Amino acid sequence: MAAENSKQFWKRSAKLPGSIQPVYGAQHPPLDPRLTKNFIKERSKVNTVPLKNKKASSFHEFARNTSDAWDIGDDEEEDFSSPAFQTVNSKVALAAAAQVLENHSKLRVKPERSQSTTSDVPASYKVIKSSSDAQLSRNSSDTCLRNPLHKQQSLPLRPIIPLVARISDQNASGAPPMTVREKTRLEKFRQLLSSHNTDLDELRKCSWPGVPREVRPVTWRLLSGYLPANTERRKLTLQRKREEYFGFIEQYYDSRNEEHHQDTYRQIHIDIPRTNPLIPLFQQPLVQEIFERILFIWAIRHPASGYVQGINDLVTPFFVVFLSEYVEEDVENFDVTNLSQDMLRSIEADSFWCMSKLLDGIQDNYTFAQPGIQKKVKALEELVSRIDEQVHNHFRRYEVEYLQFAFRWMNNLLMRELPLRCTIRLWDTYQSEPEGFSHFHLYVCAAFLIKWRKEILDEEDFQGLLMLLQNLPTIHWGNEEIGLLLAEAYRLKYMFADAPNHYRR
């Protein structure tokens, strides 16, 4: 009897234990929790076959809840012959049909509306908008949301760009108009940047709470050390550095096909399409070619580390910021072929040099055995044990190692946990802090972890904890959430950075 139950269980299970499942962060969000809960409830109501083996039931539920929400092809592995699945499908079909009829009736009033946004997408795959997404939608017309659909040939089941892929900040198109305070801040930035010798200390102080979109490109060049503070020297410096970069291209790029560089180039070539896959901008062949050149030249010029997976993510904020200098609209769907060759060359060279400046401060993260990351993860563990002993003991109780989730936080600077718009805002502050990408990042990670203490303490098994920590729900985050996170990180740094006895056990 037990063998028969076991056989039935594996027949119902779509996933086998031990199979490799991709784990995604904020850039690959899971389905909306409300939708997932409703789906599970529907299945539990219909499934009348009791499972006597409690462990099998819990594993079945775990496997069902942790499948990749974006992998639409997963349903090919489901057992469609089960009555529970057929009943759920019929309910979903009825709901979808009712929605289609409703939209069809609206078409008579507004024929320009596209029916494909609802009828072509199964109900279980609809993107549920968060409150912040709804606010963005209210301030922009429906046509603005639907026009990008025709450009996303590779993502046919996503009628609009998910909120996680929105790069817009509060001063971009579709957002509320600037307040008096924001206008005053922007004017102060412009005065600082136009002065004969920019006061970099004052610029850092102004940039800590965020840099206005209009002046972010030149501010980032200055804060990264790429541009000199003297305005008279900036034009010549940019011209010289850009020519130097393309001199590297001519000198080294052809060597990518040589035997001793083939492995490096092949890995870069594999990783580039995986960079921000939900944002159409980064799927354009011309953009991917730019990224390949930047990463290959950096790897050639830094043989101590070479190219390491994760460095490809670090190019994207710089590329987006420097692209915004030439593009007033939102850049998610912008076709870079509309830019002149000189503009593209400037964006590419500036992205390379600023990324190089960033990596100079954290290169031990990417040398052999990545000792920098090992030290930072250990420091995070010690810090959390002092900040919140209950969370720390909860991890120990269920044998969760910090390296299992925090390695990615250090390797990718939280870029896999946060939407790109949040990363850009975060880097405003990182570039304003001394050793922002190394030292201050540790406290940001600690604050980020404690932010989810309630959810962490609610999980009472290893799998649940790891899945939570690798899929934290930051899809709706914006500048306000990042501002609160940074404020908490600064408080922790103020308390612990200069108090080594508090820091150690």
Side-chain angles (χ1 to χ4, degrees):
M1 188 67 182
E4 186 178 349
N5 284 341
S6 176
K7 184 177 180 181
Q8 289 297 323
F9 163 69
W10 292 119
K11 187 175 180 182
R12 280 190 299 271
S13 297
K15 304 290 183 295
L16 295 177
S19 59
I20 298 175
Q21 295 291 329
V23 178
Y24 298 102
Q27 295 181 349
H28 301 266
L31 286 177
D32 186 273
R34 294 166 293 179
L35 186 145
T36 308
K37 287 179 181 177
N38 291 337
F39 181 75
I40 294 171
K41 286 179 181 178
E42 289 295 331
R43 291 194 68 168
S44 62
K45 288 179 182 177
V46 179
N47 190 5
T48 58
V49 181
L51 291 177
K52 296 180 181 179
N53 189 338
K54 189 173 182 180
K55 289 185 178 180
S57 177
S58 62
F59 178 81
H60 184 80
E61 183 179 356
F62 168 72
R64 186 172 63 226
N65 291 340
T66 57
S67 59
D68 181 9
W70 285 122
D71 192 359
I72 310 301
D74 274 357
D75 54 8
E76 293 176 3
E77 302 174 10
E78 296 287 349
D79 185 5
F80 291 100
S81 62
S82 67
F85 202 97
Q86 289 175 359
T87 309
V88 172
N89 272 348
S90 64
K91 289 188 177 183
V92 171
L94 287 173
Q99 189 68 41
V100 170
L101 291 173
E102 182 182 349
N103 289 327
H104 183 70
S105 62
K106 290 179 181 179
L107 283 175
R108 298 184 180 181
V109 183
K110 296 183 179 180
E112 69 277 6
R113 287 235 174 162
S114 173
Q115 183 178 340
S116 63
T117 58
T118 53
S119 61
D120 292 348
V121 184
S124 58
Y125 297 130
K126 289 182 183 176
V127 177
I128 306 299
K129 295 184 180 179
S130 64
S131 57
S132 57
D133 192 16
Q135 184 177 359
L136 285 172
S137 302
R138 283 198 298 272
N139 295 316
S140 58
S141 65
D142 289 341
T143 53
C144 290
L145 290 174
R146 285 174 171 78
N147 284 341
L149 172 62
H150 304 293
K151 300 182 182 180
Q152 298 183 60
Q153 299 298 328
S154 60
L155 304 173
L157 290 176
R158 293 167 203 149
I160 61 173
I161 298 178
L163 178 63
V164 69
R166 307 279 178 83
I167 304 175
S168 310
D169 62 15
Q170 75 272 24
N171 296 329
S173 61
M178 293 177 67
T179 63
V180 174
R181 181 175 177 274
E182 288 168 347
K183 288 180 180 178
T184 304
R185 289 191 73 240
L186 178 59
E187 186 59 33
K188 186 171 184 179
F189 269 95
R190 284 177 171 156
Q191 288 177 3
L192 274 171
L193 297 171
S194 61
S195 59
H196 182 69
N197 283 298
T198 300
D199 186 342
L200 293 181
D201 290 334
E202 186 65 24
L203 184 63
R204 290 189 186 96
K205 190 183 299 182
C206 292
S207 301
W208 207 100
V211 181
R213 182 177 188 263
E214 294 82 354
V215 294
R216 186 174 275 140
V218 64
T219 302
W220 276 27
R221 291 189 189 103
L222 284 165
L223 293 179
S224 65
Y226 173 45
L227 268 189
N230 186 286
T231 52
E232 294 178 357
R233 294 173 51 207
R234 289 177 192 170
K235 186 175 180 180
L236 288 175
T237 300
L238 282 177
Q239 182 180 350
R240 176 174 57 83
K241 297 297 283 184
R242 288 167 180 171
E243 288 176 356
E244 185 179 355
Y245 168 71
F246 284 100
F248 294 151
I249 296 290
E250 293 179 8
Q251 183 177 357
Y252 298 119
Y253 194 58
D254 287 340
S255 67
R256 66 189 185 279
N257 296 318
E258 295 178 5
E259 185 176 354
H260 57 289
H261 291 320
Q262 278 185 356
D263 289 342
T264 298
Y265 180 72
R266 186 183 299 112
Q267 189 60 58
I268 292 171
H269 191 72
I270 290 171
D271 289 347
I272 292 299
R274 301 172 180 171
T275 306
N276 295 99
L278 295 179
I279 302 179
L281 171 69
F282 298 113
Q283 303 309 308
Q284 298 178 35
L286 187 55
V287 173
Q288 294 185 356
E289 290 172 12
I290 289 172
F291 277 42
E292 283 184 4
R293 287 194 293 268
I294 289 173
L295 294 170
F296 183 77
I297 296 302
W298 188 88
I300 292 297
R301 298 189 71 246
H302 296 81
S305 62
Y307 173 74
V308 177
Q309 286 181 296
I311 294 179
N312 56 305
D313 288 331
L314 305 183
V315 186
T316 55
F318 292 115
F319 184 84
V320 167
V321 167
F322 297 139
L323 176 62
S324 68
E325 198 169 18
Y326 305 99
V327 181
E328 292 187 4
E329 61 189 276
D330 293 339
V331 301
E332 299 98 320
N333 282 296
F334 183 76
D335 186 354
V336 295
T337 58
N338 294 327
L339 295 177
S340 68
Q341 190 66 24
D342 287 341
M343 290 177 181
L344 288 172
R345 286 169 65 91
S346 299
I347 294 168
E348 180 176 347
D350 292 355
S351 299
F352 169 81
W353 286 115
C354 287
M355 186 197 75
S356 298
K357 293 285 187 181
L358 184 162
L359 289 171
D360 285 347
I362 57 172
Q363 192 170 353
D364 62 339
N365 285 7
Y366 306 105
T367 54
F368 178 73
Q370 300 184 268
I373 292 179
Q374 303 280 350
K375 291 176 184 176
K376 289 184 178 72
V377 171
K378 184 63 178 175
L380 177 65
E381 181 177 356
E382 294 180 3
L383 184 58
V384 172
S385 71
R386 309 304 291 175
I387 296 169
D388 196 324
E389 191 172 4
Q390 189 178 3
V391 168
H392 179 71
N393 290 336
H394 193 69
F395 286 153
R396 294 182 66 182
R397 178 182 177 186
Y398 294 105
E399 300 179 346
V400 174
E401 299 289 340
Y402 283 76
L403 202 63
Q404 292 168 330
F405 63 88
F407 180 89
R408 190 171 72 181
W409 296 10
M410 303 300 175
N411 190 60
N412 301 83
L413 298 177
L414 287 177
M415 287 194 64
R416 298 286 177 91
E417 325 314 316
L418 299 170
L420 183 54
R421 62 182 178 274
C422 294
T423 298
I424 291 172
R425 167 62 191 91
L426 189 67
W427 285 20
D428 287 342
T429 301
Y430 278 5
Q431 296 191 87
S432 307
E433 276 279 328
E435 298 182 332
F437 290 98
S438 54
H439 186 64
F440 187 62
H441 179 67
L442 170 66
Y443 296 95
V444 171
C445 289
F448 186 65
L449 181 63
I450 301 305
K451 161 77 178 173
W452 309 102
R453 77 179 308 274
K454 181 182 182 300
E455 291 82 355
I456 288 170
L457 295 176
D458 285 345
E459 294 290 344
E460 295 185 346
D461 60 76
F462 174 84
Q463 293 92 340
L465 279 167
L466 214 56
M467 288 305 302
L468 170 68
L469 292 167
Q470 293 179 338
N471 295 274
L472 291 166
T474 60
I475 181 174
H476 65 283
W477 276 32
N479 287 356
E480 183 178 350
E481 288 81 4
I482 293 298
L484 293 172
L485 178 70
L486 289 166
E488 177 63 15
Y490 185 81
R491 185 185 73 84
L492 294 176
K493 179 191 171 188
Y494 183 81
M495 290 176 61
F496 290 92
D498 297 322
N501 289 332
H502 293 179
Y503 185 76
R504 297 172 188 150
R505 279 195 170 277

